[in-house]
């Protein structure tokens, strides 16, 4: 006791503050968060890229190289020179920087970091609603497989991080922490420069504002009226958030992009998988439906109360997800806190007095070491990419005189842009907006679906070669056609050349074969 009394009071206070902070860092709720990160790491460590990742990265790399923001297309021969801005340039630059710093491993680390941030923020948001870490953990874990559907490396992941920060700020404001809303204008400034999902942020703001306009109670739905100072505070923050939207390299143009995309791309919405309605053939969709029906049953049985804005957000998320399954992440973000609120009825609360802080710390550090140890090597990641994208076919194209304009699969376009553009321009890639407006997307669908005018469309575009999935219907047609010759095939793709154009710009395709070409032709003939 004598030793303790000799320690100055301010040092005792500092030590006490440090001990409390240390305990928070290694508490049981933090350990539960580490388990969620581990579950996410198990899935994301294999570098789940989207076909669009490649052209996003190309935009970012071009901005880093030139210091300029693109305004026209320079990667295709079908819409070359048409206006097209990099409206997700912020996320694209971040992706390109990750690749510059670490190659494919840099991309993998970025993907794991972004998705783990979403998972942790989702867990915290659920905890804010129910104040029960065990229920928040269970609610987040239940819906996590649905969110994982959209966990591929694209700027939209950063957009969902901003959406969660917006929801958390509003929830804390609703619970009486007045200063949290001032984070929103800087968030929207970054958000508009990274992804068009900033519109979801304004929808959330609008629903929270409407949910507090008057006192309301009907069944399980309630609404608590904002105090005049709170309402004015929210309106001022919303106004400031609107005023920062033009602060982009393209002025107000980025603010208009989400509305243009939402109203002018019917073919993309109809034919691109992520824009199609909820498909029960996917087990994640079936899980979503099971959880939804369980939620409805629990509501009927126990009559849990909900605020008006919560119910509005749930309806919005459910509608968007059922119409476009790409919004599965949004559904998970809104559903997790609702599920946690229900589960908190039965989940025991957290008692710091019985927490095992030392054990938690050991397990958390062990998890971090495991994550670092099991990060896949560059070779493993490259093999994974080679199994999904036409890596070998691109190598073939770079080393052989394949003539003229090349028709390519939509899902190959982004990788071709990254590896070959603008030296070899593509027919189409994942920038569906510009290709649909020019009519190219419609022509592409006619060709790929073997409509009656398919070959005529190829002739109209003066197509001399094609890079296709090796087992696609069009590849089968061209393989049987006397006008086309298959010059390359691997497990993923095949290259076809129109026989009449094998002399291109006066450069004849070599008549004598190298050993490598002879081996490749033998593989083609034997079906390898």
């Amino acid at each position: 006791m004598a030793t303790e009394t000799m320690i100055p009071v301010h040092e005792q206070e500092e030590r006490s503050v440090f001990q409390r902070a240390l305990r928070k860092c290694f508490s049981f709720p933090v350990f539960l968060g580490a388990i969620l990160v581990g579950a996410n790491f198990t899935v994301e460590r294999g570098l789940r890229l989207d076909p669009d990742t490649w052209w996003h990265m190309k935009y970012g790399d071009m901005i880093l190289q030139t210091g300029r923001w693109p305004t026209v297309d320079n990667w295709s021969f079908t819409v070359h020179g048409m206006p097209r801005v990099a409206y997700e340039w912020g996320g694209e630059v971040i992706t390109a920087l990750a690749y510059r710093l670490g190659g494919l491993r840099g991309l993998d680390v970025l993907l794991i970091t972004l998705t783990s941030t979403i998972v942790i923020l989702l867990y915290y948001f659920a905890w804010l609603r129910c104040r029960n870490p065990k229920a928040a953990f269970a609610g987040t874990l239940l819906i996590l497989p649905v969110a994982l559907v959209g966990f591929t490396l694209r700027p939209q992941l950063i957009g969902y991080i901003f959406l969660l920060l917006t929801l958390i700020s509003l929830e804390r404001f609703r619970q009486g922490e007045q200063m949290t809303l001032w984070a929103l204008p800087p968030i929207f400034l970054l958000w508009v420069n990274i992804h068009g999902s900033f519109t979801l942020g304004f929808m959330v703001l609008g629903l929270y504002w409407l949910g507090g306009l008057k006192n309301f109670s009907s069944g399980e739905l309630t609404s608590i009226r904002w105090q005049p100072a709170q309402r004015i505070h929210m309106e001022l923050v919303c106004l400031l958030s609107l005023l920062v939207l033009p602060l982009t390299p393209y002025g107000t143009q980025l603010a208009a992009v989400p509305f243009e995309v939402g109203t002018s791309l019917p073919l993309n919405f109809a034919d691109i998988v992520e824009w199609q309605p909820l498909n029960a053939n996917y087990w994640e969709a079936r899980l979503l439906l099971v959880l939804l029906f369980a939620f409805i049953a629990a509501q009927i049985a126990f009559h849990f109360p909900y605020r008006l804005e919560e119910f509005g957000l749930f309806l919005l998320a459910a509608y968007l997800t059922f119409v476009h399954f790409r919004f599965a992440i949004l559904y998970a973000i809104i559903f997790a806190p609702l599920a946690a609120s229900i589960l908190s009825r039965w989940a025991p609360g957290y008692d710091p007095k019985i927490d095992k802080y030392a054990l938690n710390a050991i397990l958390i550090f062990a998890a971090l070491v495991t994550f670092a140890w099991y990060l896949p090597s560059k070779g493993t990641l490259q093999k994974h990419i080679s199994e999904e994208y036409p890596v070998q076919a691109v190598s073939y194209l770079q080393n052989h005189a394949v003539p003229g304009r090349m028709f390519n699969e939509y899902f190959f376009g982004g990788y071709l842009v990254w590896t070959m553009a603008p030296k070899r321009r593509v027919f189409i890639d994942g920038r569906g907006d510009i290709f649909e407006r020019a009519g190219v997307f419609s022509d592409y669908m006619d060709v790929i679906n073997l409509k009656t005018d398919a070959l005529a469309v190829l002739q109209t575009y003066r197509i001399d070669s094609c890079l296709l999935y090796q087992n696609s219907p069009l590849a089968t047609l061209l393989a049987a056609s006397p006008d086309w010759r298959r010059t390359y095939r691997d497990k993923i793709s095949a290259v076809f050349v129109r026989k009449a154009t094998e002399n291109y710009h006066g450069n004849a395709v070599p008549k004598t074969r190298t050993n490598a070409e002879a081996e490749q032709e033998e593989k083609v003939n034997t079906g390898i």
Side-chain angles (χ1 to χ4, degrees), residues 35-49:
I35 294 177
L36 292 172
V37 170
N40 177 66
F41 175 83
T42 302
V43 177
E44 297 303 308
R45 63 181 290 271
L47 188 54
R48 300 172 69 225
L49 300 183

Side-chain angles (χ1 to χ4, degrees), residues 225-271:
R225 186 175 182 178
W226 297 111
Q227 296 297 321
Q230 289 179 309
R231 182 173 55 80
I232 293 172
H233 186 182
M234 180 176 285
E235 290 168 352
L236 177 59
V237 167
C238 187
L239 177 60
L240 291 174
S241 299
L242 282 168
L243 290 176
V244 302
L245 294 184
L247 302 180
T248 77
Y250 300 102
T252 59
Q253 196 169 355
L254 296 192
V257 165
F259 303 99
E260 294 174 2
V261 170
T263 58
S264 62
L265 301 179
L267 293 180
N268 273 264
F269 291 166
D271 294 309

Side-chain angles (χ1 to χ4, degrees), residues 161-176:
I161 289 174
F162 289 144
L163 177 63
L164 276 162
L165 291 174
T166 300
L167 285 163
I168 289 168
S169 296
L170 286 164
E171 187 61 33
R172 289 168 68 97
F173 180 72
R174 173 58 94 175
Q175 294 179 14

Side-chain angles (χ1 to χ4, degrees), residues 388-410:
E388 294 192 16
Y389 297 97
V391 176
Q392 297 176 44
V394 165
S395 178
Y396 173 83
L397 292 169
Q398 290 170 334
N399 291 286
H400 292 77
V402 176
R405 295 180 167 190
M406 186 175 70
F407 178 89
N408 61 272
E409 297 273 0
Y410 180 90

Side-chain angles (χ1 to χ4, degrees), residues 153-434:
L153 187 55
R154 288 193 288 176
Q156 70 169 9
L157 290 180
I158 307 175
Y160 282 115
I161 289 174
F162 289 144
L163 177 63
L164 276 162
L165 291 174
T166 300
L167 285 163
I168 289 168
S169 296
L170 286 164
E171 187 61 33
R172 289 168 68 97
F173 180 72
R174 173 58 94 175
Q175 294 179 14
E177 299 184 35
Q178 302 299 308
M179 298 302 295
T180 58
L181 280 193
W182 291 116
L184 294 187
I187 285 174
F188 277 97
L189 174 59
L190 295 172
W191 201 348
V192 70
N193 284 284
I194 285 177
H195 193 259
S197 56
F198 70 88
T199 53
L200 293 174
F202 283 107
M203 292 181 189
V204 169
L205 269 170
L207 285 171
Y208 267 80
W209 179 77
L210 288 171
L213 286 183
K214 57 183 287 188
N215 288 319
F216 171 82
S217 180
S218 177
E220 289 78 45
L221 284 180
T222 61
S223 176
I224 302 173
R225 186 175 182 178
W226 297 111
Q227 296 297 321
Q230 289 179 309
R231 182 173 55 80
I232 293 172
H233 186 182
M234 180 176 285
E235 290 168 352
L236 177 59
V237 167
C238 187
L239 177 60
L240 291 174
S241 299
L242 282 168
L243 290 176
V244 302
L245 294 184
L247 302 180
T248 77
Y250 300 102
T252 59
Q253 196 169 355
L254 296 192
V257 165
F259 303 99
E260 294 174 2
V261 170
T263 58
S264 62
L265 301 179
L267 293 180
N268 273 264
F269 291 166
D271 294 309
I272 302 302
V273 173
E274 69 171 353
W275 285 111
Q276 292 179 3
L278 186 73
N279 188 339
N281 290 328
Y282 297 105
W283 73 268
E284 295 92 346
R286 293 195 292 271
L287 173 63
L288 186 154
L289 292 172
V290 168
L291 292 176
L292 174 61
F293 291 141
F295 171 75
I296 294 172
Q299 188 60 37
I300 293 172
F302 298 104
H303 303 284
F304 294 100
Y306 295 102
R307 299 198 308 263
L308 194 59
E309 63 268 21
E310 290 178 308
F311 185 67
L313 283 172
F314 177 72
L315 291 181
L316 175 65
Y319 169 77
L320 289 176
T321 305
F322 275 81
V323 175
H324 304 299
F325 195 42
R326 68 170 281 154
F327 288 107
I329 303 179
L330 174 64
Y331 184 89
I333 288 172
I334 302 304
F335 183 84
L338 298 179
S341 296
I342 291 176
L343 293 171
S344 64
R345 183 185 181 101
W346 299 281
Y350 166 63
D351 185 358
K353 295 179 181 178
I354 61 173
D355 204 341
K356 309 296 182 183
Y357 298 101
L359 178 61
N360 295 336
I362 292 171
L363 293 174
I364 290 171
F365 277 120
L368 292 174
V369 171
T370 302
F371 295 163
W373 181 262
Y374 281 100
L375 270 177
S377 66
K378 179 182 177 181
T380 301
L381 295 175
Q382 185 61 58
K383 181 182 177 182
H384 174 70
I385 297 300
S386 298
E387 291 171 351
E388 294 192 16
Y389 297 97
V391 176
Q392 297 176 44
V394 165
S395 178
Y396 173 83
L397 292 169
Q398 290 170 334
N399 291 286
H400 292 77
V402 176
R405 295 180 167 190
M406 186 175 70
F407 178 89
N408 61 272
E409 297 273 0
Y410 180 90
F411 291 104
F412 289 169
Y415 186 75
L416 292 174
V417 163
W418 171 247
T419 55
M420 302 187 73
K423 183 177 180 180
R424 177 180 280 276
R425 295 191 174 99
V426 300
F427 182 91
I428 196 170
D429 59 64
R431 296 170 297 159
D433 51 340
I434 188 172

